[in-house]
């Protein structure tokens, strides 16, 4: 699934240039010309990263960054601030408002993409590509296959990632919020009960092999993958 980058920039030429570069690099570009449009896109599409211009009509980029950081649903979305200002005091203000990084115009596409990738890497939890074998299950990240007692089972992408996370972190209890952070990453508009839905689907897929009991509900806390 391609990551979505929201570009908040009021100058059409720069917006176009940013969208072009982001799309060329394999991301999905969403565009907004002001804070209102930005919020609309954030609600509708849950972007994975925001490129935010400092100088915007009505609500400035700095103010928008503060708003994003103070809202529980958006506080984890990485922000890279774009600006024509280069002085150190402005840079500090930009970062204090909650931006993860800061880039001064004019910038090269190469520099921009390097910053985007660096910020993304800090935010999306990485799971290893190594095969995991445990409790009668065999999960191969590279081929995206799961065997339960030697028989292949079909899992959706989220269930696969959920099972991968559990198998990599067995015998520990995770709350729904922790699972959202680890499995869904920065898609912050996913509600906690979504976790239950995917746990239910994962258990249903494991049921034929009798391995659904590996996914344990820990009352009042969350879920645990346990082979004991
Ligand atoms: Ca501007």
């Amino acid at each position: 699934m391609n990551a979505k980058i929201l570009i908040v920039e009021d100058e059409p030429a720069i917006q176009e240039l940013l969208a072009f570069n982001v799309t060329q690099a394999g991301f999905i570009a969403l565009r907004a010309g002001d804070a209102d449009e930005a919020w609309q896109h954030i609600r509708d599409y849950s972007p994975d990263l925001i490129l935010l211009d400092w100088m915007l009509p009505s609500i400035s980029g700095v103010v928008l960054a503060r708003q994003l950081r103070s809202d529980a649903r958006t506080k984890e979305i990485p922000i890279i601030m774009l600006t024509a200002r280069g002085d150190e005091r402005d840079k500090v203000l930009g970062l204090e408002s909650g931006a993860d990084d800061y880039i001064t115009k004019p910038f090269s596409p190469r520099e921009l993409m390097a910053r985007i990738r660096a910020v993304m890497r800090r935010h999306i939890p990485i799971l290893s590509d190594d095969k995991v074998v445990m409790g009668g299950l065999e999960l191969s990240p590279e081929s995206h296959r799961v065997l339960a007692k030697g028989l292949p089972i079909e899992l959706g992408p989220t269930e696969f990632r959920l099972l991968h996370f559990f198998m990599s972190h067995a015998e520990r209890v995770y709350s729904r919020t922790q699972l959202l952070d680890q499995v869904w990453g920065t898609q912050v508009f996913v509600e906690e009960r979504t976790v239950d839905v995917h746990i239910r689907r994962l258990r249903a897929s494991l049921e034929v092999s009798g391995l659904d009991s590996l996914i344990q509900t820990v009352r009042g806390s969350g879920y645990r993958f346990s082979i004991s």
Side-chain angles (χ1 to χ4, degrees):
M1 191 170 58
N2 293 341
K4 289 163 280 189
I5 298 183
L6 173 61
I7 298 158
V8 190
E9 166 65 77
D10 57 315
E11 286 157 71
I14 300 177
Q15 192 195 80
E16 184 68 41
L17 179 70
L18 289 167
F20 175 79
N21 283 302
V22 158
T23 309
Q24 285 288 91
F27 298 103
I28 294 164
L30 305 167
R31 306 182 196 197
D34 59 29
D36 284 346
E37 270 180 36
W39 275 110
Q40 192 76 41
H41 283 308
I42 291 161
R43 286 191 197 97
D44 293 350
Y45 302 107
S46 302
D48 299 287
L49 182 141
I50 301 175
L51 289 176
L52 180 56
D53 185 31
W54 180 298
M55 298 293 281
L56 292 170
S58 64
I59 295 170
S60 80
V62 174
V63 172
L64 179 56
R66 288 211 183 96
Q67 291 174 346
L68 289 163
R69 284 297 172 260
S70 61
D71 188 323
R73 298 167 307 168
T74 55
K75 67 176 166 43
E76 303 289 338
I77 306 177
I79 299 171
I80 298 177
M81 199 77 120
L82 306 168
T83 179
R85 305 175 188 216
D87 86 47
E88 201 57 29
R89 201 186 47 214
D90 287 345
K91 177 171 178 170
V92 170
L93 181 59
L95 294 174
E96 276 178 352
S97 70
D100 295 87
D101 203 353
Y102 178 97
I103 190 164
T104 308
K105 297 177 198 171
F107 42 81
S108 72
R110 187 191 292 252
E111 183 189 5
L112 174 71
M113 295 325 299
R115 300 283 184 107
I116 288 175
R117 292 214 173 85
V119 170
M120 288 253 184
R121 268 198 299 276
R122 293 206 292 268
H123 281 264
I124 299 171
I126 306 290
L127 289 167
S128 150
D129 272 343
D130 299 339
K131 184 189 277 190
V132 202
V133 181
M134 194 181 289
L137 286 169
E138 186 179 321
L139 181 143
S140 311
E142 285 191 326
S143 61
H144 224 269
R145 288 210 173 96
V146 179
L147 299 178
K149 293 185 176 164
L151 296 171
I153 56 166
E154 290 293 325
L155 293 180
T158 303
E159 286 74 36
F160 185 89
R161 197 171 156 79
L162 191 56
L163 182 61
H164 192 188
F165 176 78
F166 274 137
M167 291 177 77
S168 311
H169 301 83
E171 311 301 338
R172 274 180 266 172
V173 180
Y174 289 91
S175 69
R176 288 168 180 79
T177 309
Q178 287 171 323
L179 288 171
L180 281 177
D181 287 346
Q182 297 295 325
V183 177
W184 280 258
T186 53
Q187 293 182 27
V188 289
F189 279 95
V190 177
E191 291 174 36
E192 285 197 6
R193 63 166 183 258
T194 304
V195 174
D196 302 331
V197 172
H198 289 280
I199 292 273
R200 203 150 53 229
R201 284 190 201 156
L202 178 56
R203 280 180 175 148
S205 302
L206 295 172
E207 210 170 354
V208 273
S209 59
L211 296 177
D212 52 309
S213 57
L214 294 173
I215 316 284
Q216 303 174 347
T217 302
V218 182
R219 219 164 269 283
S221 301
Y223 295 101
R224 172 178 55 211
F225 180 91
S226 176
I227 57 169
S228 58

